Amino acid sequence: MSALNLNSPYFAIRKLTKHFPIRKGFLKRKEGYVNAVDNISLEIEKGKTMGLVGESGCGKTTTAKMILHLEKPSSGEIIIEGNDTVDIKGEQLRKFRRNVQLIFQDPFSSLNPHRTIKQIIAEPFIIHEILKKRSDINDRLTQLLELVNLSPDCLKKYPHELSGGQRQRVGIARALALNPKILICDEPVSALDVSIRSQIINLLLDLQKRLNLTYLFISHDLSLVEHMSDQVAVMYLGKIVELLSAENFFDERLHPYTDALLSAVPMAKPGLKKNRIILSGDVPSPINPPSGCRFRTRCPIVEPICAENEPPFKKITTNHFVACHLRG
């Protein structure tokens, strides 16, 4: 599968695959694989956002874990500034972790309840031995709190003393502590109240402009992804089935799976009606995915060719790709 052909992509994953072995019996012999992520490619320009959407279990979080070196890819490349980082170790890996950080989904469980906010945010400095003088650490902590719009009084508090929005701001401050270049945002506002979500989203957009950050933004909320992203990748059962610019996401999508996802998005205009697409059946098991097109068992426009051959990832326009025999 190919993706956007940028001249010099700042961040890219190419033919990235993750198959988890299934072991059974006393000798734990391999009896198959879970095809969590299967040969996906994406490219993101510096300072831009790639949105990644799809149902639970489609491989979004596994993709994020591979990028963060929390899971070892079965094959493929993870390229930053022209360098493949899949096999890096030692000091190279430490430097990588300074440049690529994660914003967690749940701001409460991701913060150590036994440490103060000051200890939590300052921990990266200690681990990576970046700042050693107490005065330098205090100055940096003040800068970070200002970036995420938190009062210095928060430093003395524990996570349970803060609101959900404040805890997520602490998580963002911790992610920014080492001046990263890339942030992986895995459902960063799904655990927050609706009234707080817009504040965190606006904060992330502001930080991106001020610090020239590059985002991979993972979410189930398609309207949010469209608002946050420059490009959107739609994932189904370990595969990217459509890739297009965010500004054309609602109006020019082609894949029937993208149609089904968008049909469930509430419309902002009162009285405006649209046809809800209800997909039949359940998502197939990644242990034994369907032949040909993986979406064919639930697709409302399926044809015999869909079972025979895997659809190629076709280029529709410069910024639009789709994997479907019947569309494009």
Side-chain angles (χ1 to χ4, degrees):
M1 175 194 130
S2 62
L4 296 184
N5 186 21
L6 302 174
N7 292 329
S8 55
Y10 175 69
F11 169 65
I13 56 176
R14 292 178 179 159
K15 298 183 178 180
L16 199 64
T17 298
K18 181 62 180 180
H19 294 164
F20 293 98
I22 301 172
R23 300 180 185 274
K24 294 184 178 180
F26 180 74
L27 298 177
K28 300 295 181 181
R29 291 174 178 170
K30 293 181 183 178
E31 294 193 5
Y33 290 90
V34 176
N35 303 290
V37 176
D38 202 349
N39 198 34
I40 70 169
S41 299
L42 295 170
E43 297 181 354
I44 314 176
E45 293 181 80
K46 186 174 179 61
K48 301 294 185 180
T49 300
M50 172 70 73
L52 185 59
V53 301
E55 294 172 285
S56 296
C58 71
K60 304 186 302 296
T61 297
T62 301
T63 300
K65 287 182 177 180
M66 286 190 286
I67 294 171
L68 291 160
H69 281 255
L70 301 177
E71 291 283 357
K72 176 73 173 177
S74 301
S75 62
E77 300 175 320
I78 301 170
I79 298 172
I80 297 178
E81 295 182 313
N83 300 311
D84 186 7
T85 66
V86 166
D87 295 320
I88 59 175
K89 297 178 182 178
E91 185 57 34
Q92 284 185 316
L93 181 57
R94 285 172 61 86
K95 183 177 180 181
F96 173 88
R97 295 197 188 283
R98 292 197 292 267
N99 288 327
V100 183
Q101 288 287 316
L102 171 68
I103 297 176
F104 292 89
Q105 177 177 350
D106 186 347
F108 188 69
S109 62
S110 65
L111 303 179
N112 189 330
H114 303 294
R115 294 197 167 202
T116 64
I117 301 306
K118 180 177 181 178
Q119 291 171 323
I120 289 171
I121 300 178
E123 188 175 25
F125 307 141
I126 299 170
I127 293 173
H128 290 271
E129 299 179 346
I130 300 298
L131 299 175
K132 296 182 179 180
K133 292 183 179 180
R134 182 175 297 180
S135 59
D136 292 338
I137 292 176
N138 289 335
D139 289 344
R140 180 59 177 156
L141 289 173
T142 301
Q143 294 173 1
L144 290 168
L145 290 178
E146 289 178 354
L147 277 175
V148 299
N149 300 322
L150 282 177
S151 167
D153 295 338
C154 291
L155 291 174
K156 300 177 183 179
K157 296 182 179 180
Y158 289 85
H160 72 272
E161 299 179 274
L162 304 181
S163 67
Q166 288 175 321
R167 287 194 291 263
Q168 191 60 299
R169 290 174 190 272
V170 170
I172 294 171
R174 180 177 60 183
L176 295 175
L178 301 174
N179 293 315
K181 301 175 181 177
I182 299 170
L183 287 184
I184 310 298
C185 307
D186 189 2
E187 300 277 3
V189 297
S190 63
L192 302 177
D193 293 339
V194 175
S195 60
I196 304 299
R197 292 181 185 181
S198 61
Q199 297 177 22
I200 299 301
I201 290 302
N202 289 335
L203 173 62
L204 290 173
L205 289 170
D206 179 61
L207 290 171
Q208 184 173 43
K209 291 179 181 178
R210 294 172 64 180
L211 304 177
N212 199 25
L213 295 168
T214 302
Y215 291 159
L216 176 64
F217 192 88
I218 301 170
S219 179
H220 288 88
D221 189 330
L222 274 67
S223 296
L224 178 58
V225 167
E226 187 262 349
H227 175 68
M228 278 288 300
S229 306
D230 297 286
Q231 298 169 286
V232 180
V234 182
M235 198 169 186
Y236 182 81
L237 204 63
K239 291 277 191 180
I240 301 294
V241 297
E242 188 160 15
L243 178 64
L244 70 165
S245 64
E247 62 182 355
N248 298 326
F249 184 50
F250 281 86
D251 299 325
E252 298 184 14
R253 83 277 182 178
L254 291 173
H255 200 281
Y257 178 60
T258 312
D259 284 342
L261 290 177
L262 289 173
S263 74
V265 176
M267 300 300 290
K269 298 179 181 179
L272 185 63
K273 296 181 179 180
K274 62 177 178 178
N275 296 323
R276 175 74 188 273
I277 300 173
I278 306 297
L279 298 177
S280 60
D282 297 322
V283 178
S285 170
I287 298 174
N288 186 27
S291 62
C293 176
R294 295 190 175 187
F295 184 60
R296 67 175 176 81
T297 58
R298 306 173 74 200
C299 182
I301 61 171
V302 64
E303 295 288 346
I305 189 176
C306 302
E308 297 169 4
N309 302 308
E310 182 176 341
F313 207 61
K314 295 179 290 187
K315 181 178 180 180
I316 308 303
T317 64
T318 303
N319 296 315
H320 194 174
F321 297 77
V322 66
C324 181
H325 290 297
L326 308 175
R327 298 274 182 89

